[in-house]
Amino acid sequence: EAFGGNIDNAIDAAIAVEILHNFTLVHDDIMDNASTRRGKETIHKKWDVNAAILVGDELIGLSYRSLLLSKTENITGVLRAFTDGVIEVCEGQALDKEFELSADVSIDDYKIMIRKKTAELLRTSSIMGAIIGNADSTGIDSISSYSENIGLAFQIQDDLLDVIADEGEFGKKIGGDILERKKTFLYLRALEILEGKQRDDFMYMYNTNDNNDEKIKKIVALYNEICVIGSARDEIAVYTERANNNLQCIKNGNARKMLEKFSDMLLNRSY
């Protein structure tokens, strides 16, 4: 819509992205051993891992079936953007799992990972929509940058919500990232702040196999004590502002306001 396209022409591509997103969640839940998603039992818990793998595999096929129905003269460009997105998302998930076993991960490494795992799906969506809307190269670059920045903000916000959200509203267990020993923005920022024995004690506590609520409480209390929570909020605000600045080339004022509203919704979400 931002580039003058007909919304109806993008519906099948949008459905393809949503189906693909659900594929990533099904397989992600298996790898994270998550028991709930959106407040409901995950597929591998309700049935078994093999069933969940097959569900994820079929979702990829269904996503391409929908994508091929897209009404555009540049179906090759749309397919290329979508396929590149699938590859990037899988590479991001691979990095995420690799980081769980590595003691040497920096915030820069983390941002490379979330750019692939999370921001890429938003970027793919935006590029596909721009192509279907017949945007020029400047428009595609602008919406690509917008969605990448908002995707980075989204993932850092997700890391934050994992420790501050209401569990019923969030739809999954609070502190799940801690129990999975994920290298989140909060964890890596804490390592930058802490020194000496306090840093060593934190690393030991975080990376032990003590998967209980007491561990979560201690980690969250430390995050608050050393202002890691505030640091995450600041980072989210920075990427959100960068994202909105990328929208200035969009001439359609209503579409630009809708995207800015989307940014605000992500910035202030509670689940």
Side-chain angles (χ1 to χ4, degrees):
E1 189 174 273
F3 302 105
N6 184 330
I7 295 174
D8 291 340
N9 291 344
I11 294 297
D12 292 307
I15 291 170
V17 174
E18 179 61 20
I19 296 172
L20 175 70
H21 177 54
N22 280 279
F23 143 70
T24 68
L25 298 182
V26 172
H27 281 193
D28 196 45
D29 286 340
I30 297 170
M31 287 181 259
D32 289 345
N33 197 31
S35 58
T36 59
R37 168 71 67 176
R38 297 169 179 164
K40 296 183 178 181
E41 195 173 17
T42 49
I43 291 174
H44 69 280
K45 290 291 185 182
K46 187 170 183 177
W47 287 281
D48 55 44
V49 170
N50 289 339
I53 291 172
L54 284 170
V55 167
D57 292 345
E58 180 156 357
L59 286 171
I60 294 179
L62 290 171
S63 68
Y64 272 98
R65 176 188 285 176
S66 182
L67 187 65
L68 288 167
L69 298 174
S70 300
K71 299 174 181 66
T72 174
E73 294 179 0
N74 190 6
I75 189 65
T76 300
V78 172
L79 281 166
R80 183 181 296 113
F82 188 80
T83 303
D84 287 346
V86 173
I87 294 168
E88 288 285 304
V89 169
C90 291
E91 288 179 355
Q93 176 67 0
L95 286 173
D96 192 20
K97 300 306 293 183
E98 180 184 327
F99 289 172
E100 289 178 19
L101 303 175
S102 174
D104 186 25
V105 179
S106 68
I107 284 185
D108 286 342
D109 294 330
Y110 161 86
K111 287 181 179 178
I112 290 171
M113 181 271 290
I114 66 171
R115 183 189 63 76
K116 287 175 172 285
K117 181 181 176 182
T118 303
E120 180 61 29
L121 193 59
L122 281 165
R123 197 179 77 88
T124 297
S125 305
S126 299
I127 291 173
M128 287 164 57
I131 291 172
I132 294 170
N134 297 313
D136 60 19
S137 58
T138 299
I140 291 173
D141 288 344
S142 296
I143 202 70
S144 172
S145 296
Y146 162 80
S147 51
E148 181 170 313
N149 281 305
I150 209 66
L152 293 170
F154 177 92
Q155 185 57 57
I156 298 172
Q157 176 82 327
D158 210 53
D159 290 357
L160 179 61
L161 288 173
D162 184 70
V163 300
I164 68 168
D166 175 83
E167 192 165 297
E169 193 174 14
F170 195 39
K172 54 185 178 180
K173 182 175 177 59
I174 296 303
D177 288 345
I178 294 171
L179 298 184
E180 291 294 325
R181 301 186 292 280
K182 285 187 174 293
K183 305 302 190 292
T184 65
F185 177 87
L186 303 171
Y187 170 79
L188 297 171
R189 185 73 184 103
L191 289 184
E192 288 185 342
I193 295 170
L194 296 170
E195 297 178 339
K197 185 177 184 300
Q198 191 178 21
R199 187 177 190 272
D200 292 339
D201 289 346
F202 166 70
M203 287 185 69
Y204 177 78
M205 177 170 57
Y206 194 93
N207 291 292
T208 60
N209 290 322
D210 295 334
N211 289 346
N212 52 55
D213 290 339
E214 188 61 29
K215 175 182 177 179
I216 294 171
K217 289 178 182 178
K218 288 179 179 178
I219 296 292
V220 175
L222 179 63
Y223 284 164
N224 279 292
E225 180 185 334
I226 62 176
C227 300
V228 165
I229 301 295
S231 180
R233 287 196 171 106
D234 290 343
E235 198 81 359
I236 293 162
V238 166
Y239 280 111
T240 302
E241 182 178 6
R242 287 183 189 175
N244 287 338
N245 287 340
N246 290 128
L247 298 175
Q248 299 312 306
C249 78
I250 294 177
K251 302 295 189 295
N252 185 325
N254 288 334
R256 188 171 63 248
K257 286 178 182 178
M258 285 177 65
L259 289 166
E260 289 170 348
K261 186 177 180 180
F262 179 67
S263 303
D264 185 65
M265 181 270 289
L266 293 184
L267 180 64
N268 296 296
R269 70 192 174 98
S270 57
Y271 57 90

